[in-house]
Amino acid sequence: MATTTRVRTASTALTTAEKAFDLLTCEPAPLVFDARPVPGLPDTTMPLNELRKLLMFGRYDSDSTDELWRQLAHHAREWGPAWVVGAIGVALPALTHLAAKISRGYARHADDVDSEVLAGFLQSLRSADLDPPRLWLRLCWAAWRAGAAIVRADDGEELPLHLSTGSRSPRMPYGHPDLLLGRAAAAGLITAEAAELISATRFGDALIEELAAEKGVTGPALRMRRRRAERVVAAAVTRGDLSGPSPSGQAHTVDTP
């Protein structure tokens, strides 16, 4: 998967993880994944680098993706460091893409974003509940939140060189829409679940009907939840509330029960 606009240095956390993954999957003894228990995947075993290629160029339903990541997370937790590196390596194309989107416009923090994206993913890989659906989305969302926290902090860490003494209109936000969702969730304007819902269905490839079936609700009901949350985010954008450091307290939260 492409890394959008920025070229990485040779020593970020993500490029180091890629080198470790290359060593782990090279001949003559690459680490092998048993894909046979995973519905939709080939009924065979395969090296992890081949599994990664399969996932990059194929499309699999949520049941297959969930079971695959349950297996990888279980191996990472139970079978030692090699499987931690292996699971991270399978996720690296997506993690690299996420980090590039977050750090666009924040070049001086790009390496820190890489580190936090990897750390957020690893923490979730080790601790996330493996039973509920959308495991892959939850792992990626944890990585996104960790990386986005770096650029949120940057918004308020320095004063501009020339400050006007008069009032001025609030600075409008910039960056990928997911960044605004992360800010809105961190500010308590919407729940993390609502942010995931908007991100997955507006910017990802998840279908409302599929998510509704998993949650045991109707499609129209889930659309209504999404619409309420989007209105809150849109109003916050108009006010300029999401253009600086995340506000704290006194915010009404839109739930998606």
Side-chain angles (χ1 to χ4, degrees):
M1 186 175 291
T3 59
T4 66
T5 58
R6 101 172 156 85
V7 177
R8 286 176 156 68
T9 67
S11 58
T12 76
L14 293 180
T15 56
T16 300
E18 180 66 30
K19 292 176 183 177
F21 184 70
D22 288 343
L23 292 174
L24 191 69
T25 55
C26 68
E27 297 293 345
L31 194 63
V32 172
F33 179 77
D34 185 359
R36 290 172 294 185
V38 181
L41 290 188
D43 188 23
T44 186
T45 59
M46 65 184 74
L48 284 180
N49 55 347
E50 292 185 13
L51 174 66
R52 185 168 80 175
K53 290 178 183 177
L54 195 68
L55 298 176
M56 288 175 65
F57 297 108
R59 291 181 64 86
Y60 298 94
D61 62 26
S62 59
D63 289 340
S64 296
T65 304
D66 279 353
E67 185 56 33
L68 167 66
W69 280 99
R70 286 189 190 105
Q71 295 285 341
L72 287 173
H74 177 269
H75 295 349
R77 296 176 187 188
E78 303 294 334
W79 291 4
W83 279 98
V84 176
V85 174
I88 289 172
V90 173
L92 271 175
L95 298 182
T96 303
H97 185 66
L98 285 176
K101 289 202 294 185
I102 294 169
S103 61
R104 187 166 49 212
Y106 299 89
R108 68 194 181 98
H109 290 309
D111 289 356
D112 290 336
V113 167
D114 276 18
S115 296
E116 291 304 313
V117 163
L118 181 58
F121 180 83
L122 180 57
Q123 174 62 29
S124 189
L125 184 71
R126 289 172 169 165
S127 61
D129 189 344
L130 303 184
D131 291 329
R134 312 303 294 178
L135 176 58
W136 171 239
L137 178 62
R138 289 186 283 119
L139 294 173
C140 287
W141 185 245
W144 177 272
R145 286 198 306 266
I150 295 293
V151 297
R152 285 201 301 270
D154 181 64
D155 279 339
E157 74 177 16
E158 293 181 353
L159 293 174
L161 294 178
H162 303 288
L163 285 174
S164 169
T165 56
S167 61
R168 56 179 177 148
S169 299
R171 178 167 55 91
M172 294 303 290
Y174 55 93
H176 191 273
D178 274 345
L179 182 58
L180 299 181
L181 294 176
R183 287 176 174 173
L189 296 171
I190 60 175
T191 64
E193 184 180 2
E196 281 188 38
L197 173 63
I198 297 170
S199 177
T201 56
R202 294 299 195 191
F203 313 121
D205 58 2
L207 300 176
I208 279 281
E209 288 74 13
E210 179 182 324
L211 292 180
E214 291 174 354
K215 296 175 179 293
V217 299
T218 65
L222 199 57
R223 285 191 180 87
M224 180 60 72
R225 295 179 190 179
R226 183 180 65 181
R227 189 175 302 116
R228 287 201 306 267
E230 287 174 338
R231 286 172 179 167
V232 171
V233 174
V237 169
T238 301
R239 294 192 303 269
D241 291 349
L242 302 182
S243 61
S246 299
S248 60
Q250 301 182 7
H252 176 68
T253 300
V254 175
D255 292 316
T256 55

